Amino acid sequence: MPAVRHRLAPEVISHAHRLPPLGKRALGARRREAVMRAVVTGAAGFMGSHLCAHLLAAGDTVVAVDALTDSYDVALKRRNLRDLSRRPAFSFHHADLLDADLGPLLDGAHAVYHLAGESGARSSWGPGFELHARRNILATQALLEAVRDRASGAFVHASSSSVYGDARTSPTAETACPRPVSPYGVTKLAAEHLCALYRTAYGVPTLSLRLFSVYGPRQRPDMAFARLFAAAAAGRPFPLYGDGEQTRDFLYVRDAVAAMRDAACSGFTGVADLGGSPVSMKQAIAAVESVAGPVEVLPRPAERGDARHAAADITVASRAFGFRPRTALHEGLAAMAAEGA
Protein backbone atom coordinates (compact mmCIF):
# COMPACT_ATOMS: atom_id res chain seq x y z
CA MET A 1 0.00 0.00 0.00
CA PRO A 2 1.75 3.21 -1.06
CA ALA A 3 2.21 5.94 1.50
CA VAL A 4 -0.02 8.96 1.07
CA ARG A 5 1.77 12.29 0.87
CA HIS A 6 0.60 14.78 3.43
CA ARG A 7 1.40 18.40 4.04
CA LEU A 8 3.27 18.40 7.34
CA ALA A 9 2.28 20.84 10.05
CA PRO A 10 5.09 23.05 11.41
CA GLU A 11 5.19 21.18 14.74
CA VAL A 12 5.71 17.90 12.89
CA ILE A 13 8.18 18.97 10.24
CA SER A 14 10.32 20.85 12.76
CA HIS A 15 11.91 17.62 13.95
CA ALA A 16 13.55 16.94 10.58
CA HIS A 17 16.25 19.56 10.98
CA ARG A 18 19.54 19.18 12.81
CA LEU A 19 19.59 20.54 16.33
CA PRO A 20 22.00 23.29 17.39
CA PRO A 21 24.69 22.40 19.93
CA LEU A 22 23.32 21.75 23.40
CA GLY A 23 26.20 22.71 25.66
CA LYS A 24 27.54 19.61 27.36
CA ARG A 25 25.27 17.27 25.42
CA ALA A 26 27.21 14.78 23.33
CA LEU A 27 26.95 15.27 19.60
CA GLY A 28 28.41 11.92 18.54
CA ALA A 29 24.91 10.41 18.35
CA ARG A 30 24.09 12.77 15.50
CA ARG A 31 26.69 11.37 13.15
CA ARG A 32 25.32 8.30 11.42
CA GLU A 33 28.69 6.50 11.43
CA ALA A 34 29.63 7.46 15.01
CA VAL A 35 30.41 4.84 17.61
CA MET A 36 28.28 5.46 20.68
CA ARG A 37 27.81 4.53 24.29
CA ALA A 38 24.17 3.53 24.26
CA VAL A 39 21.78 2.87 27.14
CA VAL A 40 18.91 0.50 26.31
CA THR A 41 15.96 0.01 28.67
CA GLY A 42 13.82 -3.07 28.24
CA ALA A 43 16.94 -4.73 26.82
CA ALA A 44 15.90 -8.31 27.59
CA GLY A 45 12.66 -8.06 25.63
CA PHE A 46 11.90 -8.95 22.04
CA MET A 47 12.79 -5.62 20.44
CA GLY A 48 15.29 -4.64 23.12
CA SER A 49 17.46 -7.69 22.59
CA HIS A 50 17.44 -7.21 18.81
CA LEU A 51 18.35 -3.54 19.28
CA CYS A 52 21.27 -4.44 21.55
CA ALA A 53 22.58 -6.90 18.94
CA HIS A 54 22.26 -4.26 16.21
CA LEU A 55 24.08 -1.63 18.25
CA LEU A 56 26.91 -4.04 19.11
CA ALA A 57 27.27 -4.97 15.43
CA ALA A 58 27.63 -1.24 14.69
CA GLY A 59 30.51 -1.02 17.17
CA ASP A 60 28.60 0.66 20.00
CA THR A 61 29.04 0.00 23.69
CA VAL A 62 25.72 -1.07 25.19
CA VAL A 63 24.55 -0.54 28.76
CA ALA A 64 21.44 -2.71 29.08
CA VAL A 65 18.77 -2.21 31.73
CA ASP A 66 15.78 -4.46 32.39
CA ALA A 67 13.59 -5.21 35.41
CA LEU A 68 12.91 -8.75 34.12
CA THR A 69 9.22 -8.41 34.96
CA ASP A 70 6.88 -11.39 34.71
CA SER A 71 4.73 -9.90 31.92
CA TYR A 72 5.71 -13.12 30.14
CA ASP A 73 8.09 -16.00 30.91
CA VAL A 74 11.26 -14.51 32.42
CA ALA A 75 13.22 -17.51 31.13
CA LEU A 76 12.61 -16.23 27.59
CA LYS A 77 14.03 -12.84 28.53
CA ARG A 78 17.10 -14.45 30.08
CA ARG A 79 17.52 -16.48 26.91
CA ASN A 80 17.45 -13.25 24.90
CA LEU A 81 20.38 -11.99 26.98
CA ARG A 82 22.50 -15.13 26.72
CA ASP A 83 24.46 -14.38 23.55
CA LEU A 84 24.61 -10.65 24.26
CA SER A 85 26.22 -11.24 27.65
CA ARG A 86 29.23 -12.86 26.00
CA ARG A 87 30.13 -9.62 24.25
CA PRO A 88 32.76 -7.44 26.00
CA ALA A 89 31.01 -4.22 24.90
CA PHE A 90 27.75 -5.31 26.59
CA SER A 91 26.85 -4.91 30.26
CA PHE A 92 23.53 -5.85 31.84
CA HIS A 93 21.92 -4.23 34.87
CA HIS A 94 18.87 -5.82 36.51
CA ALA A 95 17.00 -2.70 37.63
CA ASP A 96 13.56 -1.11 37.80
CA LEU A 97 13.57 2.44 36.40
CA LEU A 98 11.41 3.64 39.29
CA ASP A 99 13.75 2.32 41.99
CA ALA A 100 17.28 2.34 40.58
CA ASP A 101 19.99 4.99 40.82
CA LEU A 102 20.13 5.71 37.10
CA GLY A 103 22.84 8.36 37.19
CA PRO A 104 25.89 6.08 36.91
CA LEU A 105 24.27 4.18 34.04
CA LEU A 106 23.43 7.33 32.08
CA ASP A 107 26.64 9.31 32.57
CA GLY A 108 28.48 9.66 29.29
CA ALA A 109 25.69 8.16 27.19
CA HIS A 110 25.50 9.29 23.57
CA ALA A 111 22.01 7.85 23.14
CA VAL A 112 19.25 6.47 25.34
CA TYR A 113 16.82 3.98 23.82
CA HIS A 114 13.75 3.66 26.01
CA LEU A 115 11.97 0.40 25.16
CA ALA A 116 10.92 -0.64 28.66
CA GLY A 117 7.20 -0.69 29.32
CA GLU A 118 4.03 -2.75 29.65
CA SER A 119 2.43 -3.87 26.39
CA GLY A 120 -1.03 -5.14 25.57
CA ALA A 121 -4.24 -3.27 24.80
CA ARG A 122 -6.53 -5.99 26.14
CA SER A 123 -4.72 -6.30 29.48
CA SER A 124 -4.78 -2.54 30.12
CA TRP A 125 -8.45 -2.32 31.08
CA GLY A 126 -9.70 -2.32 34.67
CA PRO A 127 -7.11 -3.33 37.28
CA GLY A 128 -4.45 -3.69 34.58
CA PHE A 129 -4.36 0.05 33.99
CA GLU A 130 -2.35 0.75 37.15
CA LEU A 131 0.51 -1.45 35.97
CA HIS A 132 0.45 0.11 32.50
CA ALA A 133 0.49 3.61 33.99
CA ARG A 134 3.40 2.71 36.25
CA ARG A 135 5.55 1.13 33.58
CA ASN A 136 4.66 3.36 30.62
CA ILE A 137 4.13 6.78 32.19
CA LEU A 138 5.86 6.93 35.59
CA ALA A 139 8.93 5.00 34.44
CA THR A 140 9.30 7.27 31.40
CA GLN A 141 9.10 10.36 33.59
CA ALA A 142 11.70 8.94 35.99
CA LEU A 143 14.10 8.25 33.13
CA LEU A 144 13.60 11.70 31.63
CA GLU A 145 14.30 13.26 35.03
CA ALA A 146 17.53 11.29 35.27
CA VAL A 147 18.57 12.27 31.73
CA ARG A 148 17.66 15.94 31.75
CA ASP A 149 20.80 17.36 33.43
CA ARG A 150 23.30 14.89 32.03
CA ALA A 151 25.39 15.00 28.88
CA SER A 152 23.52 12.78 26.45
CA GLY A 153 22.47 12.65 22.85
CA ALA A 154 19.17 11.41 21.48
CA PHE A 155 16.47 10.03 23.73
CA VAL A 156 14.62 7.49 21.57
CA HIS A 157 11.23 6.50 22.96
CA ALA A 158 9.56 3.40 21.54
CA SER A 159 5.97 4.55 21.17
CA SER A 160 3.10 2.72 19.48
CA SER A 161 0.59 3.05 16.69
CA SER A 162 -1.98 2.41 19.42
CA VAL A 163 -1.99 6.16 20.05
CA TYR A 164 -3.98 6.58 16.81
CA GLY A 165 -6.80 4.19 17.74
CA ASP A 166 -9.37 4.08 14.94
CA ALA A 167 -7.68 6.62 12.70
CA ARG A 168 -9.87 8.43 10.18
CA THR A 169 -7.24 8.18 7.44
CA SER A 170 -5.10 5.27 6.29
CA PRO A 171 -2.15 5.38 5.94
CA THR A 172 -2.07 7.58 9.04
CA ALA A 173 0.35 10.51 9.27
CA GLU A 174 1.70 12.07 12.46
CA THR A 175 -0.55 15.09 11.88
CA ALA A 176 -3.63 12.94 12.62
CA CYS A 177 -5.30 13.63 15.95
CA PRO A 178 -4.48 10.74 18.30
CA ARG A 179 -7.63 8.91 19.44
CA PRO A 180 -6.56 5.88 21.51
CA VAL A 181 -9.19 3.15 21.89
CA SER A 182 -7.45 1.40 24.80
CA PRO A 183 -5.93 2.49 28.12
CA TYR A 184 -2.62 1.12 26.81
CA GLY A 185 -2.77 3.61 23.94
CA VAL A 186 -3.52 6.39 26.42
CA THR A 187 -0.39 5.56 28.44
CA LYS A 188 1.82 5.51 25.35
CA LEU A 189 0.43 8.89 24.25
CA ALA A 190 1.06 10.30 27.73
CA ALA A 191 4.67 9.12 27.52
CA GLU A 192 5.02 10.88 24.16
CA HIS A 193 3.77 14.11 25.72
CA LEU A 194 6.31 13.76 28.53
CA CYS A 195 9.08 13.41 25.95
CA ALA A 196 7.89 16.57 24.22
CA LEU A 197 7.72 18.45 27.52
CA TYR A 198 11.29 17.58 28.49
CA ARG A 199 12.47 18.56 25.02
CA THR A 200 10.80 21.95 25.34
CA ALA A 201 11.64 22.65 28.98
CA TYR A 202 15.14 21.15 29.26
CA GLY A 203 16.41 20.71 25.71
CA VAL A 204 16.49 16.91 25.90
CA PRO A 205 16.56 15.80 22.23
CA THR A 206 13.66 13.37 22.45
CA LEU A 207 12.00 11.45 19.64
CA SER A 208 9.04 9.10 19.79
CA LEU A 209 8.87 6.42 17.13
CA ARG A 210 5.33 5.16 16.63
CA LEU A 211 5.97 1.50 15.95
CA PHE A 212 3.27 -0.42 14.18
CA SER A 213 3.12 -4.25 14.48
CA VAL A 214 6.74 -5.35 14.92
CA TYR A 215 7.42 -9.05 14.35
CA GLY A 216 10.36 -11.41 13.92
CA PRO A 217 12.36 -14.14 15.65
CA ARG A 218 11.96 -14.26 19.45
CA GLN A 219 8.67 -12.38 19.28
CA ARG A 220 6.77 -12.19 22.56
CA PRO A 221 4.54 -15.27 22.98
CA ASP A 222 1.38 -13.14 23.28
CA MET A 223 1.86 -11.50 19.88
CA ALA A 224 -0.07 -12.56 16.79
CA PHE A 225 2.61 -14.22 14.68
CA ALA A 226 4.13 -16.05 17.66
CA ARG A 227 0.69 -17.43 18.49
CA LEU A 228 0.05 -18.36 14.85
CA PHE A 229 3.32 -20.29 14.60
CA ALA A 230 2.59 -22.01 17.91
CA ALA A 231 -0.90 -22.95 16.70
CA ALA A 232 0.46 -24.36 13.45
CA ALA A 233 3.13 -26.39 15.25
CA ALA A 234 0.77 -27.81 17.88
CA GLY A 235 -2.26 -28.26 15.63
CA ARG A 236 -4.43 -26.25 17.96
CA PRO A 237 -6.96 -23.53 17.04
CA PHE A 238 -5.94 -19.90 16.69
CA PRO A 239 -8.56 -17.49 18.10
CA LEU A 240 -9.18 -14.72 15.57
CA TYR A 241 -10.88 -11.70 17.10
CA GLY A 242 -13.06 -9.91 14.54
CA ASP A 243 -13.85 -10.84 10.95
CA GLY A 244 -10.26 -11.02 9.72
CA GLU A 245 -10.64 -8.03 7.43
CA GLN A 246 -9.04 -5.71 9.99
CA THR A 247 -5.60 -4.58 8.83
CA ARG A 248 -2.27 -4.35 10.60
CA ASP A 249 1.02 -2.88 9.41
CA PHE A 250 3.76 -5.45 10.04
CA LEU A 251 7.36 -4.26 10.42
CA TYR A 252 10.26 -6.71 10.64
CA VAL A 253 12.15 -6.28 13.89
CA ARG A 254 15.59 -5.84 12.35
CA ASP A 255 14.26 -3.04 10.14
CA ALA A 256 12.74 -1.45 13.24
CA VAL A 257 15.92 -1.46 15.34
CA ALA A 258 18.07 -0.26 12.44
CA ALA A 259 15.68 2.69 12.13
CA MET A 260 16.05 3.45 15.84
CA ARG A 261 19.81 3.85 15.54
CA ASP A 262 19.52 5.82 12.31
CA ALA A 263 17.05 8.16 14.02
CA ALA A 264 19.33 8.60 17.02
CA CYS A 265 22.24 9.48 14.73
CA SER A 266 20.28 11.97 12.63
CA GLY A 267 19.53 14.84 14.99
CA PHE A 268 15.80 14.28 14.43
CA THR A 269 13.40 15.10 17.26
CA GLY A 270 9.63 14.79 17.51
CA VAL A 271 7.36 11.98 16.30
CA ALA A 272 7.61 9.56 13.37
CA ASP A 273 5.73 6.49 12.18
CA LEU A 274 7.55 3.21 11.49
CA GLY A 275 5.64 0.61 9.49
CA GLY A 276 6.26 -1.97 6.80
CA SER A 277 3.65 -4.27 5.23
CA PRO A 278 -0.05 -3.41 5.75
CA VAL A 279 -2.21 -6.52 5.27
CA SER A 280 -5.47 -7.92 6.59
CA MET A 281 -5.38 -10.53 9.34
CA LYS A 282 -6.73 -13.07 6.84
CA GLN A 283 -3.76 -12.33 4.59
CA ALA A 284 -1.39 -12.52 7.57
CA ILE A 285 -2.72 -15.97 8.50
CA ALA A 286 -2.31 -17.16 4.92
CA ALA A 287 1.27 -15.89 4.90
CA VAL A 288 2.09 -17.87 8.05
CA GLU A 289 0.45 -20.98 6.58
CA SER A 290 2.72 -20.69 3.53
CA VAL A 291 5.80 -21.27 5.72
CA ALA A 292 4.43 -23.14 8.76
CA GLY A 293 1.52 -25.22 7.50
CA PRO A 294 -2.23 -25.01 8.04
CA VAL A 295 -3.77 -23.11 10.95
CA GLU A 296 -7.25 -23.83 12.28
CA VAL A 297 -8.96 -20.48 12.87
CA LEU A 298 -11.45 -20.13 15.72
CA PRO A 299 -13.63 -17.05 15.13
CA ARG A 300 -14.18 -14.77 18.10
CA PRO A 301 -16.01 -11.42 18.44
CA ALA A 302 -13.90 -8.30 18.09
CA GLU A 303 -12.61 -7.06 21.43
CA ARG A 304 -12.69 -3.54 22.84
CA GLY A 305 -9.42 -1.73 22.39
CA ASP A 306 -8.68 -3.30 18.98
CA ALA A 307 -8.40 -0.75 16.18
CA ARG A 308 -10.08 -1.69 12.91
CA HIS A 309 -7.30 -0.57 10.58
CA ALA A 310 -3.66 0.43 11.03
CA ALA A 311 -1.20 1.58 8.37
CA ALA A 312 1.78 3.90 8.71
CA ASP A 313 2.61 6.91 6.58
CA ILE A 314 6.42 6.77 6.72
CA THR A 315 7.04 10.05 4.88
CA VAL A 316 8.51 11.83 7.92
CA ALA A 317 10.82 8.95 8.84
CA SER A 318 11.97 8.60 5.25
CA ARG A 319 12.83 12.29 4.94
CA ALA A 320 14.34 12.71 8.41
CA PHE A 321 16.56 9.65 8.72
CA GLY A 322 16.24 7.66 5.52
CA PHE A 323 13.87 4.99 6.81
CA ARG A 324 12.82 2.36 4.32
CA PRO A 325 11.50 -1.07 5.36
CA ARG A 326 13.67 -3.63 3.58
CA THR A 327 12.14 -6.95 4.59
CA ALA A 328 9.01 -8.23 2.84
CA LEU A 329 6.46 -10.02 5.00
CA HIS A 330 7.13 -13.45 3.50
CA GLU A 331 10.88 -13.00 4.08
CA GLY A 332 10.41 -12.02 7.71
CA LEU A 333 8.07 -14.93 8.37
CA ALA A 334 10.52 -17.32 6.72
CA ALA A 335 13.20 -16.03 9.09
CA MET A 336 10.88 -16.67 12.04
CA ALA A 337 10.26 -20.20 10.84
CA ALA A 338 13.99 -20.83 10.31
CA GLU A 339 14.83 -19.65 13.83
CA GLY A 340 12.00 -21.57 15.46
CA ALA A 341 9.80 -18.42 15.65
Side-chain angles (χ1 to χ4, degrees):
M1 183 181 296
V4 175
R5 298 285 181 177
H6 292 266
R7 177 174 294 177
L8 302 180
E11 65 271 18
V12 175
I13 202 168
S14 65
H15 46 27
H17 68 276
R18 290 187 176 272
L19 295 173
L22 291 172
K24 296 191 302 177
R25 294 192 181 279
L27 300 180
R30 296 179 191 147
R31 297 190 301 270
R32 189 172 297 271
E33 301 303 324
V35 174
M36 298 186 285
R37 182 179 190 269
V39 175
V40 180
T41 73
F46 161 51
M47 279 194 294
S49 59
H50 278 281
L51 175 61
C52 290
H54 178 74
L55 297 174
L56 290 168
D60 297 343
T61 297
V62 176
V63 178
V65 183
D66 201 297
L68 296 177
T69 62
D70 61 357
S71 53
Y72 60 95
D73 189 353
V74 175
L76 296 178
K77 299 181 180 183
R78 293 190 183 280
R79 183 194 66 183
N80 291 343
L81 293 170
R82 193 178 304 140
D83 290 340
L84 296 170
S85 297
R86 300 188 181 104
R87 304 285 296 274
F90 179 86
S91 61
F92 175 70
H93 303 267
H94 184 184
D96 188 315
L97 297 178
L98 287 171
D99 300 326
D101 178 8
L102 299 174
L105 302 179
L106 294 167
D107 284 340
H110 298 96
V112 176
Y113 299 89
H114 179 38
L115 279 65
E118 186 69 14
S119 298
R122 293 168 189 158
S123 62
S124 65
W125 296 92
F129 180 72
E130 182 177 356
L131 186 61
H132 281 75
R134 175 181 172 84
R135 292 178 178 171
N136 294 342
I137 301 175
L138 298 181
T140 300
Q141 190 268 345
L143 185 60
L144 287 164
E145 276 290 308
V147 164
R148 72 178 202 185
D149 293 324
R150 286 181 168 81
S152 65
F155 184 100
V156 182
H157 166 232
S159 188
S160 168
S161 62
S162 293
V163 304
Y164 290 123
D166 280 318
R168 296 179 179 178
T169 59
S170 183
T172 307
E174 298 82 355
T175 48
C177 179
R179 301 176 187 274
V181 293
S182 69
Y184 166 70
V186 169
T187 63
K188 296 302 287 185
L189 184 58
E192 283 191 14
H193 285 312
L194 284 169
C195 289
L197 283 172
Y198 277 78
R199 183 171 66 250
T200 301
Y202 296 103
V204 180
T206 60
L207 50 143
S208 291
L209 301 179
R210 289 176 177 168
L211 297 157
F212 281 65
S213 298
V214 180
Y215 74 100
R218 306 197 305 273
Q219 189 179 45
R220 291 197 327 265
D222 61 295
M223 299 178 77
F225 282 139
R227 292 188 293 113
L228 278 164
F229 274 101
R236 62 172 183 260
F238 172 80
L240 175 62
Y241 297 93
D243 60 10
E245 297 299 335
Q246 65 270 34
T247 58
R248 295 294 180 265
D249 194 337
F250 293 103
L251 174 63
Y252 190 56
V253 64
R254 288 166 190 162
D255 290 341
V257 299
M260 289 180 181
R261 189 179 191 273
D262 288 345
C265 293
S266 70
F268 165 95
T269 64
V271 178
D273 286 352
L274 295 183
S277 303
V279 297
S280 72
M281 282 305 299
K282 285 182 178 178
Q283 291 172 315
I285 292 169
V288 171
E289 289 182 314
S290 71
V291 296
V295 175
E296 179 187 353
V297 174
L298 188 63
R300 288 282 185 262
E303 290 206 337
R304 61 185 180 182
D306 285 349
R308 179 66 177 168
H309 296 294
D313 181 340
I314 62 170
T315 303
V316 169
S318 175
R319 291 175 178 171
F321 47 91
F323 172 66
R324 181 170 64 88
R326 300 179 181 277
T327 308
L329 184 60
H330 71 275
E331 294 173 333
L333 292 175
M336 287 186 73
E339 296 190 32

